[in-house]
Structure formats: C-alpha cells, structure tokens
Amino acid sequence: METNDLKNFVDLNRDAFEVYDYKAEDWEQIADRLDKSRQHKRSVIIPLRYVWRAAAIVLFVLGGTFYMSWVNWNAQTQEMMMSTELQEAEYYYNDLIAIKVAEISRLDRTAEQEVFRNMEVLDQAFLELKRDLKDNADNEEVLHAMIDNYKIKLEILEQIIMQLEERKEL
C-alpha cells in the first residue's frame, strides 16, 4: 500500500519536482555516457566447471613437471654416486698397478714393454666398459665388470712378478 501512496503523491506534486529544465540533447549525452560505461564494465562470466577443469590441468602439468624433475634428480644423484665410486676404484687400482709395473721394471726392464703390450687387450675392454657406463646400460653391472678388469690386471701382474722372481732366483 505504501507504494500506491507514494505514487499518488508523486503524481499529485509532479510540477513541484520538475524545477529544472533540461534540454533533450543533455539527456542524450547522459544516455551516451551511460552506454559507454556499460560497455567498459562488461565482464566475462566463466562457468565454474571450466575453472575446475583449468585448475585440474594446471595441477596435472605441475605434478608431471615435479615428477619428471624428481626422477631426473634421482638419476643424476645415482650417477654421481657411481661416478665417485668408480673414481675411487680407479685411483686405488691404478696405484696398485703402477706399483706392480714398477716392481716388474725393477726385476726386468725388457719385460716391462711386453707387459704393456699384453695389457692393451684389457685396456681396450676397459674402454668399452666405460662407453657402456656412459650409455647408462645397467650401471651397477658395468661398474662391477670394470673393477673385475682391474683385478684381472693385478692378478696377471702378480703372476709376472712371481715368474720374474723365480727366474732371478735360478
């Protein structure tokens, strides 16, 4: 009922409300400004299901990226550990081999050159194993084969030393 009372009041006192005179072109300018402001304020409404889909895709991509970087980091860490293990083994066995070669050289200088020629076969096998290690072909197995190669070299050098010592005693 109150709306009817208000409407009746406005209708009865319309002349009192129209105190100011406006030109028709003023109203057109006002209408134009309102249209322009409505055009600028238009917003895009995105349905919630698309937002959830986009969030799921972003989460999937981030999860995949995290997983791949973790796998890569894990492989690099394992490779570094094997690399240090191999370096330690190389230093150890190369020192032992150098000691044995020096002992052979002390016992018989001519035998030293022959030993080096015979060791070339084992050195070639060792280089092949190093290439396999770089190819990442079952690193643990290749590493053990490389260490076995060093052990074989040492055994051969020890046998040569024993033979040279026996020959010297005779």
Side-chain angles (χ1 to χ4, degrees):
M1 287 206 184
E2 291 179 10
T3 55
N4 286 338
D5 292 339
L6 179 63
K7 186 177 179 188
N8 290 337
F9 177 78
V10 169
D11 286 341
L12 288 174
N13 298 310
R14 181 161 303 276
D15 291 336
F17 286 116
E18 295 181 4
V19 178
Y20 302 106
D21 287 332
Y22 289 104
K23 299 175 189 172
E25 61 191 42
D26 289 342
W27 287 111
E28 289 175 13
Q29 288 177 356
I30 292 170
D32 286 342
R33 276 192 255 153
L34 285 174
D35 287 341
K36 286 180 183 176
S37 68
R38 286 183 189 157
Q39 288 175 355
H40 290 295
K41 291 183 180 178
R42 282 193 181 163
S43 60
V44 178
I45 298 175
I46 300 173
L48 193 56
R49 67 176 181 231
Y50 294 127
V51 172
W52 282 111
R53 286 180 185 171
I57 289 171
V58 167
L59 200 64
F60 181 73
V61 168
L62 287 176
T65 303
F66 175 74
Y67 176 75
M68 292 304 291
S69 64
W70 180 77
V71 166
N72 189 25
W73 177 80
N74 195 17
Q76 286 177 347
T77 304
Q78 185 178 9
E79 187 176 306
M80 284 181 5
M81 286 173 46
M82 286 192 159
S83 177
T84 13
E85 186 178 331
L86 178 62
Q87 285 178 348
E88 289 173 4
E90 280 181 335
Y91 291 138
Y92 173 74
Y93 285 110
N94 282 333
D95 285 345
L96 287 177
I97 290 171
I99 291 169
K100 300 293 181 186
V101 168
E103 194 171 337
I104 290 173
S105 177
R106 183 182 57 82
L107 293 172
D108 186 3
R109 289 211 175 262
T110 58
E112 181 182 6
Q113 294 300 323
E114 190 175 324
V115 167
F116 281 133
R117 273 185 263 133
N118 291 332
M119 290 291 163
E120 283 181 15
V121 175
L122 289 173
D123 289 338
Q124 291 299 324
F126 185 79
L127 292 174
E128 180 80 25
L129 289 170
K130 259 192 169 177
R131 278 192 292 269
D132 286 348
L133 189 65
K134 286 181 183 174
D135 293 341
N136 216 9
D138 199 9
N139 285 341
E140 191 77 25
E141 201 172 297
V142 174
L143 194 62
H144 288 297
M146 292 171 89
I147 291 173
D148 288 344
N149 185 299
Y150 278 125
K151 288 178 181 178
I152 291 170
K153 276 185 183 180
L154 283 173
E155 286 176 21
I156 292 172
L157 291 173
E158 286 174 5
Q159 288 176 2
I160 292 172
I161 290 171
M162 285 175 44
Q163 288 175 0
L164 289 174
E165 286 176 345
E166 285 176 8
R167 196 183 307 162
K168 198 172 190 181
E169 289 176 2
L170 295 175

